[in-house]
Amino acid sequence: MSQQLNIRVREKYTLTNTALLVVDPYNDFMTEGGKLFESTKVVREQVGTLDNMSKIIAEVRLRGLRVFIVPHRRPTPTDRQFWKFLNTAQSRNLELQAFGKGTWGGEFNPVYGPQDGDIIVQEHFGQSGFANTDLDLQLKQHSITHIILIGMLANTCIESTARFGMELGYHITLVKDATAAASPAGMHAAHEVNGPLFAHAIYTTEDLLVNLPR
């Protein structure tokens, strides 16, 4: 069931004010053999993440909406070697090197990654696609006020980017079956506990497609 969370929203999705944000569409997340592909398998298969992402991306392109690619930083082994405060996930990735610079896993998946005409945002170091990147500038330059987020992961980069976007005044839409997490608990937290605190709408793919402008 979808959740329309802000009944006072007066402006709806239009072809000129709405953009799709595809977060971290790397081979390591979204292609078999990727370093993080198995970590989301249970949730991904349960909700149909990749099929739903494909449907949304294809329909958004067909209708002429803007697509923004919001990528995580592609690390090197020494990228954060001397940082003062690494959290647990960052420390793990020093060894794992997910999305590693110059590696196959750090390349964009050909289905979910950018195509001609898409806007590729500067890479984010942490979890927010807005923090220390040009995402806000790029959205404003394209007169975007409504952002729809899909990709990885629901309770990390998707949630953090959406929260930051809300603080900046954007209309936020989450699509709970076009993302995934490492556990069902992570998905529950992202969409049932935390999402209603910052998102204006939480849709399924089916309901999102019905509401997209033509």
Side-chain angles (χ1 to χ4, degrees):
M1 180 180 296
S2 299
Q3 302 173 48
Q4 186 67 46
L5 300 170
N6 187 346
I7 61 174
R8 294 185 297 174
V9 172
R10 295 177 181 174
E11 189 174 16
K12 296 182 179 181
Y13 308 115
T14 71
L15 293 174
T16 56
N17 76 3
T18 302
L20 179 69
L21 273 56
V22 185
V23 180
D24 295 346
Y26 288 126
N27 283 328
D28 269 343
F29 259 142
M30 299 181 182
T31 309
E32 187 171 0
K35 292 178 179 179
L36 298 175
F37 188 73
E38 291 299 315
S39 68
T40 64
K41 181 177 180 179
V42 171
V43 171
R44 198 180 64 237
E45 292 184 352
Q46 182 181 45
V47 303
T49 302
L50 298 182
D51 285 344
N52 288 325
M53 286 184 62
S54 296
K55 291 176 185 177
I56 292 170
I57 291 170
E59 194 64 27
V60 161
R61 295 190 191 286
L62 181 64
R63 301 191 192 193
L65 277 73
R66 286 285 189 183
V67 176
F68 288 71
I69 306 298
V70 184
H72 197 280
R73 182 172 176 84
R74 290 174 249 215
T76 66
T78 59
D79 201 22
R80 306 180 195 184
Q81 185 177 3
F82 301 108
W83 276 31
K84 293 180 180 179
F85 307 112
L86 287 175
N87 63 28
T88 301
Q90 291 168 336
S91 296
R92 279 201 307 265
N93 205 36
L94 275 179
E95 298 181 8
L96 183 62
Q97 289 291 291
F99 333 122
K101 186 175 182 180
T103 69
W104 170 84
E107 295 175 3
F108 290 122
N109 177 285
V111 176
Y112 316 109
Q115 295 186 12
D116 290 344
D118 293 349
I119 296 93
I120 303 176
V121 177
Q122 291 173 336
E123 297 174 0
H124 53 274
F125 268 95
Q127 297 180 359
S128 171
F130 281 101
N132 303 307
T133 76
D134 61 347
L135 178 56
D136 184 43
L137 172 66
Q138 293 276 20
L139 291 170
K140 285 183 168 62
Q141 288 297 318
H142 290 86
S143 300
I144 301 299
T145 57
H146 290 52
I147 56 177
I148 301 163
L149 294 96
I150 64 173
M152 303 293 184
L153 290 166
N155 58 326
T156 56
C157 292
I158 294 286
E159 180 172 332
S160 185
T161 302
R163 283 180 179 273
F164 205 137
M166 178 273 293
E167 297 284 358
L168 293 172
Y170 291 96
H171 180 282
I172 305 298
T173 298
L174 303 178
V175 190
K176 57 187 178 181
D177 57 359
T179 182
S183 67
M187 291 287 277
H188 177 79
H191 301 121
E192 305 301 328
V193 180
N194 297 333
L197 301 177
F198 58 83
H200 301 89
I202 302 177
Y203 282 139
T204 63
T205 294
E206 181 180 358
D207 286 331
L208 174 69
L209 296 181
V210 169
N211 281 279
L212 285 180
R214 295 186 179 276

